[in-house]
Amino acid sequence: MTYDPSPSYRHHPPPAPPYAPGSRSHRAPRRDPLGHHSDLRILRGAYRRQRRTATLTALGYFTLFLLLSAYAPGLMTGTAVAGLPTGLLLALAQLPVTWLAIALYEYTARRRVDPLADRIRKEAELDARRGAGR
């Protein structure tokens, strides 16, 4: 068989991909799926720090109280204010410390986590609308 140089046998360069730089496509470039988006990693990190801070605040105080009870009984049975033992005052302080941990959790949620979550939610809604419009 001999080579025929007619146009039907010539090799043509492959068409440019639709998202190649310089192409005349009017489509937006593809974005990473939402599950792999860097904003989600940032949100997970902020939420993780928030949980750790609140948990360590409440559990840290309680652990300190238990350690003092076990290893410093003289301090815990000593009189602090108005004849009340120090151990009782420290035990009663557990409730305000827990409230402080809750307040800290809510504060960091409003300040750091919620704005990130709202932004991601809005981006997801926009992506869903764009996907429905195709």
Side-chain angles (χ1 to χ4, degrees), residues 4-131:
D4 183 11
S6 66
S8 63
Y9 290 109
R10 287 189 188 152
H11 292 282
H12 297 286
Y19 304 112
S23 71
R24 294 183 180 224
S25 175
H26 295 291
R27 291 177 144 180
R30 280 194 171 184
R31 292 175 30 169
D32 290 337
L34 192 58
H36 300 290
H37 203 270
S38 64
D39 284 344
L40 282 180
R41 283 193 307 273
I42 293 169
L43 179 64
R44 282 190 298 262
Y47 182 60
R48 191 177 309 119
R49 281 188 302 278
Q50 176 192 23
R51 283 187 319 224
R52 285 179 185 161
T53 302
T55 302
L56 290 177
T57 300
L59 287 180
Y61 182 83
F62 185 68
T63 303
L64 176 67
F65 175 74
L66 289 178
L67 289 173
L68 287 174
S69 297
Y71 296 109
L75 174 70
M76 298 299 273
T77 57
T79 304
V81 177
L84 292 175
T86 307
L88 179 61
L89 290 177
L90 290 175
L92 292 175
Q94 180 66 41
L95 189 60
V97 168
T98 303
W99 288 338
L100 174 69
I102 292 169
L104 183 64
Y105 187 87
E106 289 179 358
Y107 173 76
T108 57
R110 274 190 235 109
R111 188 166 176 240
R112 293 195 177 110
V113 177
D114 290 348
L116 284 170
D118 289 340
R119 189 174 78 208
I120 291 171
R121 187 178 302 112
K122 287 176 185 175
E123 286 180 10
E125 288 171 0
L126 286 174
D127 286 347
R129 285 188 202 135
R130 286 182 191 141

